[in-house]
Amino acid sequence: MSYLLPHLHSGWAVDQAILAEEERLVLIRFGHDWDETCMQMDEVLASVAETIKNFAVIYLVDITEVPDFNTMYELYDPSTVMFFFRNKHIMIDLGTGNNNKINWALKDKQEFIDIVETVYRGARKGRGLVIAPKDYSTKYRY
Amino acid sequence: MATLADSFLADLDELSDNEDDIIVEDDADAGNMEEDVDGDLADLETLNYDDLDSVSKLQKSQRYTDIIQKVEGALEKGSDMSNHAIVLEDDPEYQLIVDCNALSVDIENEIVIIHNFIRDKYRPKFPELESLVHHPIDYARVVKKIGNEMDVTLVDLEGLLPSAIIMVVSVTASTTSGKPLPEDVLAKIVEACDRALALDSAKKMVLDFVESRMGFIAPNLSAIVGSAVAAKLMGTAGGLTSLAKMPACNVQLLGAKRKNLAGFSTATSHFRVGYVEQTEIFQSTPPSLRMRACRLLAAKSTLAARVDSTRGDPSGNTGRAFREEIRKKIEKWQEPPPAKQPKPLPVPDSEPKKKRGGRRLRKMKERYAITDMRKLANRMQFGIPEESSLGDGLGEGYGMLGQAGSGKLRVSMGQSKLAAKVAKKFKEKNYGSSGATSGLTSSLAFTPVQGIELSNPQAHAQQLGGGAQSTYFSETGTFSKIKRI
């Protein structure tokens, strides 16, 4: 489903996307369109993109095409989703130990929408770290 | 002449009394033919069947010959349509058309009467034929062709009937129980057949004439419903002017038959549709939409009739535009509804909360708040296994409840506001001692809520499963307290 979402093809475009959005969250999925995990994630992203368009916008970035952020954001997972609001990275406590990103394929649309809403609420209140509505520690491990 | 016309028009049960009156006004020269409609209704039963003329009188009537002559004259003459700007009702040709409409309906009924006559006469010869060939004209043709011939295979029915029916007819004829007819009866039958065919061709001619003139008299109306239906509508309404004055809902009913449904539902039968149902648009509409299409057609034909009655658009463009509009509308009805678009969620917290704080809200929160005990039961201490209702981690876990290291000696239950409220209600409802006294009531009432209860600590320990963990500090070992609610 990645073809339904806008791709960013350069580091500059990524920077502009994060900088230019004033009122909405910017979600960026780093990975490869051909990757299985990314495909699963993109499926969810594409299906909720229209629903959450009032408060979040989704972009896809190919980490081979745009390697600029790989070291800075430590992008070594097959699929990584990160949240930005007004040029600030928003951290989420997902219970996984990595508060910086969602680095697995989240398969439930409603769960994803809930996370985005929580992040948006926190970000609007000026928080840099929000707590996800659901703990993914055990879920992720087993 | 008037009486002859009477007896035939009496058979037109589809003409209501009102419509009759309108026709009377217009048919000045046709006379008072509809005067006694009721008198001859029983005719068919009491007719003397031996004489064809006593059954079918139309062809001999003055009106019939007059109209047919005029029509023939008009058809030969062709038409000079250039001077049709005069007032329509005064045009002799217009009057003729109105007459033609009435006549064509009469002829139709006459044919049915003659068909009955032929059937009755021909039944002794070939009783099965009437069930094989239904159409009156076809039947008359076949009867005329077969005549008294007993071997039907010798008769060439090619062109009269479809080949499949011909085969069925000849097979049936070979086993029929019929006998040859006497000559005089046969002669009458052949005469009746001739008359039926003549009437049919006359009707065709009349209709052709009317249809050919419809294009000039009512170009817009005939563009919508077709000239045949337009002619019928005009004929039944009693002229273009009266059609133009009619509301659309009545136009829809023009020519509607009173059907006897024998107790069946009117839901599917087109009960209230008249000539409009013969239009091409109506026929090409799926059955579920036909009623709507019918209303639409009636509405637009009324508009077109109004345009025609004032000679507003002799080219018929308005009618064609209406027709196109109708067609588009019906097509539109058949389209599936638009696909549902996903609705974006609203921005979270975009509007202020409706509920604010206050005494009532605080009370409600208090009432339904989570208790300390429940909080403890929901928590786990690091490195210490919880107790559970069935022991060994089975059943419902107690969390930090009753654990030695919890730092709390025991959990106070606290006064539950909700429980108090419920109990109060309960008391009021059932157990309050009422003021009304009979000799049997006492002012002292023992109730479960007010009663004094001593609970058995052992029973409680057993319930928890063994009592291996019942230490001094654990909850289960304590004295039970007197509950006051």
Side-chain angles (χ1 to χ4, degrees), chain A residues 38-54:
Chain A
C38 279
M39 284 183 194
Q40 289 177 331
M41 193 71 215
D42 289 349
E43 185 77 25
V44 174
L45 291 176
S47 57
V48 301
E50 188 67 15
T51 320
I52 61 173
K53 70 172 182 186
N54 281 346

Side-chain angles (χ1 to χ4, degrees), chain B residues 121-128 146-150 173 175-182 185-186 189:
Chain B
K121 293 291 174 199
Y122 201 65
R123 200 168 284 144
K125 162 71 176 62
F126 194 173
E128 295 88 351
I146 295 177
N148 243 350
E149 180 63 58
M150 283 315 286
T175 59
T176 185
S177 59
K179 308 266 183 310
L181 298 168
V185 178
L186 189 64
I189 292 175

Side-chain angles (χ1 to χ4, degrees), chain B residues 4 11 18 62-63 81 89 120 132 147 174 184 223 247 250 252 268 291 297 327 359 373-374 392 402-403 430-431 443:
Chain B
L4 287 179
D11 296 318
N18 289 339
Q62 183 68 34
R63 172 166 158 260
M81 288 305 153
E89 315 289 295
D120 288 343
L132 298 175
S174 62
D184 58 329
N250 291 0
Q252 188 184 342
T268 52
M291 217 50 217
L297 272 170
R327 202 185 53 75
R359 198 179 61 89
M373 198 164 148
R374 179 56 64 191
D392 295 335
Q403 272 176 351
N430 290 334
Y431 296 105
S443 62

Side-chain angles (χ1 to χ4, degrees), chain A residues 25 27 48 51-56 83 90 92 109-125 130-133, chain B residues 344-350:
Chain A
L25 279 180
L27 274 67
V48 301
T51 320
I52 61 173
K53 70 172 182 186
N54 281 346
F55 53 95
F83 297 86
I90 307 294
I92 336 146
K109 287 183 217 168
Q110 190 55 51
E111 272 178 22
F112 188 75
I113 292 174
D114 290 347
I115 291 177
V116 176
E117 281 197 354
T118 313
V119 172
Y120 180 84
R121 280 206 184 92
R124 282 295 301 265
K125 287 171 188 157
V130 297
I131 298 165
Chain B
L345 290 169
V347 177
D349 299 338
S350 56

Side-chain angles (χ1 to χ4, degrees), chain B residues 281-292:
Chain B
I281 295 181
F282 185 90
Q283 293 298 331
S284 60
T285 308
S288 54
L289 294 174
R290 282 194 175 167
M291 217 50 217
R292 284 174 83 186

Side-chain angles (χ1 to χ4, degrees), chain B residues 370-400:
Chain B
I370 190 164
T371 59
D372 286 344
M373 198 164 148
R374 179 56 64 191
K375 261 184 207 159
L376 276 181
N378 281 345
R379 274 176 204 164
M380 285 268 284
Q381 227 172 349
F382 193 77
I384 300 171
E386 64 172 353
E387 289 167 20
S388 59
S389 58
L390 299 174
D392 295 335
L394 296 170
E396 198 184 351
Y398 289 148
M400 276 169 69

Side-chain angles (χ1 to χ4, degrees), chain B residues 109-172:
Chain B
N109 289 294
E110 191 72 14
I111 288 173
V112 171
I113 293 171
I114 296 177
H115 176 56
N116 284 334
F117 178 82
I118 301 173
R119 272 196 326 194
D120 288 343
K121 293 291 174 199
Y122 201 65
R123 200 168 284 144
K125 162 71 176 62
F126 194 173
E128 295 88 351
L129 186 61
E130 60 185 286
S131 61
L132 298 175
V133 183
H134 291 285
H135 193 263
I137 299 305
D138 285 347
Y139 185 80
R141 284 203 186 107
V142 172
V143 166
K144 198 180 158 196
K145 196 94 179 180
I146 295 177
N148 243 350
E149 180 63 58
M150 283 315 286
D151 190 359
V152 177
T153 48
L154 297 177
V155 181
D156 182 24
L157 295 174
E158 202 69 44
L160 298 184
L161 295 174
S163 48
I165 303 288
I166 293 176
M167 196 160 72
V168 177
V169 167
S170 33
V171 169
T172 319

